[in-house]
Structures are given as structure tokens and as C-alpha cells.
Amino acid sequence: MANLIQSIEIENLYLAPHDKTILNIKNLSIPIDQITAIIGPNGSGKTSLLKTLSGLQTNKNLQLHHPFESIFLLLNQVTFLKMSVRDNLAILQDAYPRIHDQMIHDVLQRFHLEHLAKQAATKLSAGEKQRVAIARAVLVDAALNVLDEPTANMDPATADFIEDQILQLAKQGTRFLMASHDMGQVQRLSQYVILIVDGQVAEVDSTESFFKQPQTQLGKDFLARHLGWHP
């Protein structure tokens, strides 16, 4: 069964720590079908927007409305406790008693981590850490997963594997909101894109329409820089 398109509604989002404006968004409706991508130049406010949507950042006038019962945030810099890979997954049982040992065994196999189960998670490579992080997200089973550059600094084979897992989960009903600088990845995975430039929303469109014909000059300029796009 196809996912219903839901949306996240934001009003009066203004973040300006130390008098430096990071985000200034009066109104934004983010459509979530399966996967929605947030794109924009470095420093445009993508990560801050993800943190705000996940409740890690806020301001006094912010109004945030979404239909999701639970949200799981996976930042680009994955943090693990100084224990084994398996224990980093098993510790989730404290907060989510429904997670049982067989589920942990299954995700270790699914993400090709069984041979690393007893290894210290802090010693893993970037790609291995990201596989553990996505495995954690699978165990938590949140209604919306918020990902910040899910395949940054990975070799192509590992990036392809992570993308495939995200697609499989999306088809099974898990929804994703992700920030990505990889325009090929955005086109492969997402149904909608949100372009953020200098902390403001420049464009909201379907992925297909945006990459075919951006509606704003900022969108055209962005694609020209990143993909050599021209009308």
C-alpha cells in the first residue's frame, strides 16, 4: 500500500545564536511521502533545520506541527558508547522493552555486522558506524527518520548499501527526511526536495520537477553550480 503524503508544518522559525542568523523561516510545509531531501549550499542551515524538527533546537515563537508519533535523528557524526557493537544496540532495550535479542541478531545480520558484534563500536570505520546507526534506527522503528548526510565520506560500495537499505525501509512504510549534498543520491531516493539558501526556504517541489525545471532563480543557480544545469 502506498504511503499517504503527510506534512510537517513550521511557523516562525528564527535561529540567530551570537547574532548570526542561521535560519529565518516564516512558514514552511514539508511534504513527506517516503523520502524528502533537504538540499542547499554548505552552511545554509540544513543541519540546524533537522535538529529543530527533531526537538534539539527551538526558539520561543516556533510553532511546529507534525503527524508522526516518533522521530529518530541520525546526525552525520555518529556517537557510540565505549562498548561493543552489540551492546550499543542492546542498550536500546532499556528505553524500548519490545526490542528482543532476536531482533538485535537479525539487524546485525541484515547490516553485515555479525562479525563485528563484539568489537568496540568506537573503533569502527565511518561506513561501519553508519551501518550500526541505521541498524539502531531499524530497531527503534520510529515513524520518521531524520538523517544528516547519511553516506558522507563513504566508499561507493558502502554508500550504495546504505542507500539500498533506506529505500527498502521506505517501501516498507518508514518515512525519511534527509539532508544531502549528493545530488545524484537526492534524485535516486527522494520524492520531494526543500532547497535552503542562507537560512531561508528558496524552493519546495517534487524532485522530478526541481531537477527538470527549477521555479526560482536561486534553484537554477544552485543546480548550475552543482550539476552544470542550464535551461
Side-chain angles (χ1 to χ4, degrees), residues 159-212:
D160 287 347
F161 176 81
I162 295 297
E163 283 191 14
D164 183 62
Q165 292 298 319
I166 291 172
L167 277 175
Q168 286 186 39
L169 291 167
K171 290 175 181 177
Q172 293 165 6
T174 300
R175 290 174 172 85
F176 290 89
L177 178 65
M178 70 173 192
S180 179
H181 70 279
D182 184 337
M183 294 302 102
Q185 178 178 84
V186 170
Q187 293 179 82
R188 288 189 297 272
L189 300 187
S190 69
Q191 292 76 47
Y192 292 95
V193 294
I194 314 293
L195 173 63
I196 304 292
V197 178
D198 293 331
Q200 297 186 324
V201 180
E203 196 157 341
V204 179
D205 205 347
S206 71
T207 303
E208 182 179 4
S209 295
F210 177 76
F211 282 95
K212 184 179 296 183

Side-chain angles (χ1 to χ4, degrees), residues 56-177:
L56 292 186
Q57 294 182 161
T58 188
N59 63 279
K60 64 180 181 179
N61 295 317
L62 173 67
Q63 296 184 50
L64 174 62
H65 306 282
H66 64 79
F68 303 107
E69 294 182 2
S70 54
I71 296 177
F72 183 85
L73 173 63
L74 200 168
L75 293 172
N76 178 246
Q77 298 295 325
V78 183
T79 301
F80 293 106
L81 298 175
K82 291 183 178 180
M83 54 178 62
S84 71
V85 168
R86 192 191 185 287
D87 287 343
N88 267 275
L89 297 175
I91 199 170
L92 292 171
Q93 293 173 309
D94 294 340
Y96 304 93
R98 60 172 179 74
I99 297 175
H100 51 75
D101 290 347
Q102 185 61 45
M103 292 170 65
I104 296 170
H105 174 76
D106 290 345
V107 295
L108 285 169
Q109 286 195 318
R110 175 173 182 170
F111 290 93
H112 305 163
L113 295 165
E114 59 269 38
H115 65 293
L116 299 171
K118 296 182 180 180
Q119 185 168 322
T122 53
K123 303 296 184 181
L124 300 178
S125 69
E128 290 165 345
K129 286 180 178 179
Q130 196 70 348
R131 278 188 277 150
V132 177
I134 299 290
R136 250 186 341 201
V138 170
L139 288 173
V140 171
D141 192 25
L144 176 67
N145 284 296
V146 178
L147 312 179
D148 185 19
E149 303 287 359
T151 59
N153 304 314
M154 290 185 188
D155 62 88
T158 302
D160 287 347
F161 176 81
I162 295 297
E163 283 191 14
D164 183 62
Q165 292 298 319
I166 291 172
L167 277 175
Q168 286 186 39
L169 291 167
K171 290 175 181 177
Q172 293 165 6
T174 300
R175 290 174 172 85
F176 290 89
L177 178 65

